[in-house]
Amino acid sequence: NVQTDYTLTYKYTDLHGCTGSMDMILTVRPEPIVIIDPTATTLCFGNPYTIRSQYNHAEGVLWSKGTMSDGTILGNDTSVQIGYNPGNGDLAKLYFWLHIVTRHKDNICKPAYDSIKVNMSAMPAPEFGDSMKGCTPMIVPFTDMSQIATGVISQWLWDFGDGGTATSQNPTHEYTRPGKYTVSLKAISDAGCVKSITKPDYIETYIVPDAMFIADPPVALLSVPTVAFENRTINTTPLTT
C-alpha cells in the first residue's frame, strides 16, 4: 500500500558466450483514492455548508461544482475541506452537486473521482393547536400545524409528556391519569432539517370524583321517617360540589 521500487535485470548471452546486462528501476504506485464525507448530504437554509474529503496516493485534490449548479465554492478548491454557497438555481431545484478528483504531477496513475448530491430545504416551523383541559380519561386529537417555506416536512416526532410518543402527523392520544402534561413536537424536513417546539402544561386532566354515600338507617320506620345521608365521595377537589 505504499510506493515501491523494483529492480528489473535483463541479461543477454550470444552464441559465443559473451554476456551483457542492463538494469531498470520500476516504480509501482498504489491506485489513488478519494472519498467525500458521506454524511454531509443535507443543507438547511440559513446554515453554512462545508464538506470534507480524504485522499491517498495523490499529490492533492481539485473540487468542482456540478454543471447545473450555479453556486460558489468558498475557499481553496484544492483543499480537502471547502465551503459552498448555493445559487438561485440550486435553491429553485433544492439540490446541488459537488465533484472532486485527485491531482497527479505526472498523470501516470488514473485519477480517482467522487461526487455528492446535497438536498436542501428551509427550516421547519413546528406548531400545533391550543391547550386542552378535561376529565380523566381524556382522549386528545393532536393536529399538526407546522409549516415550511421551501421543501417538505416528512417526519413528525410527538412526545405527549406521559411517556407516550407518536410518529404520525395527526395522532390521537389517551391520558389515563390526572395531571398537567408538557407536549413537544419535532418536525423534520425531507432534507433532514430539524426543529422542535415544546408547550409546558399543554394538557391538564382533572381527577373524576367517585360519588358514594350511605343512608342511616337504610330502612326507615314510618314512625321515625328521618334518614341521615352521609357523603362518602372520594377523589374530590376543592371545587367539587
Side-chain angles (χ1 to χ4, degrees):
N1 197 38
V2 295
Q3 179 171 305
T4 306
D5 291 338
Y6 296 89
T7 301
L8 301 183
T9 300
Y10 174 74
K11 187 175 182 180
Y12 177 80
T13 304
D14 66 9
L15 295 177
H16 306 287
C18 299
T19 301
S21 65
M22 178 180 177
D23 292 336
M24 181 181 74
I25 304 299
L26 175 64
T27 300
V28 179
R29 297 174 180 171
E31 289 187 337
I33 300 171
V34 63
I35 300 174
I36 297 176
D37 179 8
T39 65
T41 56
T42 59
L43 175 62
C44 305
F45 294 167
N47 294 336
Y49 181 76
T50 57
I51 185 73
R52 290 187 59 86
S53 66
Q54 298 180 11
Y55 72 92
N56 284 314
H57 317 309
E59 278 77 45
V61 294
L62 178 64
W63 290 90
S64 63
K65 60 186 180 182
T67 56
M68 300 298 292
S69 301
D70 63 347
T72 305
I73 293 178
L74 306 175
N76 190 339
D77 60 3
T78 59
S79 300
V80 293
Q81 177 175 309
I82 61 167
Y84 184 77
N85 185 25
N88 293 331
D90 298 334
L91 297 177
K93 62 181 184 290
L94 295 179
Y95 69 87
F96 60 86
W97 282 90
L98 292 175
H99 310 290
I100 194 170
V101 60
T102 54
R103 293 185 294 114
H104 309 267
K105 294 178 181 178
D106 50 21
N107 294 321
I108 292 177
C109 293
K110 183 179 179 180
Y113 300 85
D114 198 11
S115 300
I116 188 169
K117 181 183 180 183
V118 181
N119 294 312
M120 298 182 292
S121 81
M123 192 69 70
E127 183 58 86
F128 51 95
D130 297 330
S131 61
M132 301 182 65
K133 299 180 181 181
C135 298
T136 307
M138 186 167 117
I139 298 177
V140 180
F142 289 88
T143 301
D144 170 54
M145 301 169 62
S146 305
Q147 297 182 348
I148 188 169
T150 306
V152 177
I153 298 176
S154 58
Q155 297 181 63
W156 298 264
L157 301 179
W158 295 87
D159 187 331
F160 301 121
D162 64 345
T165 59
T167 56
S168 58
Q169 183 177 4
N170 299 301
T172 298
H173 184 69
E174 181 178 10
Y175 290 89
T176 59
R177 291 179 293 180
K180 294 182 179 181
Y181 299 96
T182 295
V183 178
S184 64
L185 170 62
K186 180 183 293 184
I188 306 173
S189 76
D190 55 348
C193 303
V194 181
K195 194 169 184 180
S196 301
I197 186 173
T198 299
K199 296 188 177 184
D201 300 336
Y202 176 77
I203 297 293
E204 184 175 2
T205 56
Y206 304 126
I207 192 169
V208 178
D210 189 358
M212 291 187 294
F213 64 91
I214 61 173
D216 184 22
V219 178
L221 300 176
L222 290 178
S223 58
V224 187
T226 300
V227 179
F229 292 94
E230 180 181 351
N231 175 34
R232 291 289 183 90
T233 301
I234 60 175
N235 296 336
T236 62
T237 62
L239 297 180
T240 301
T241 58

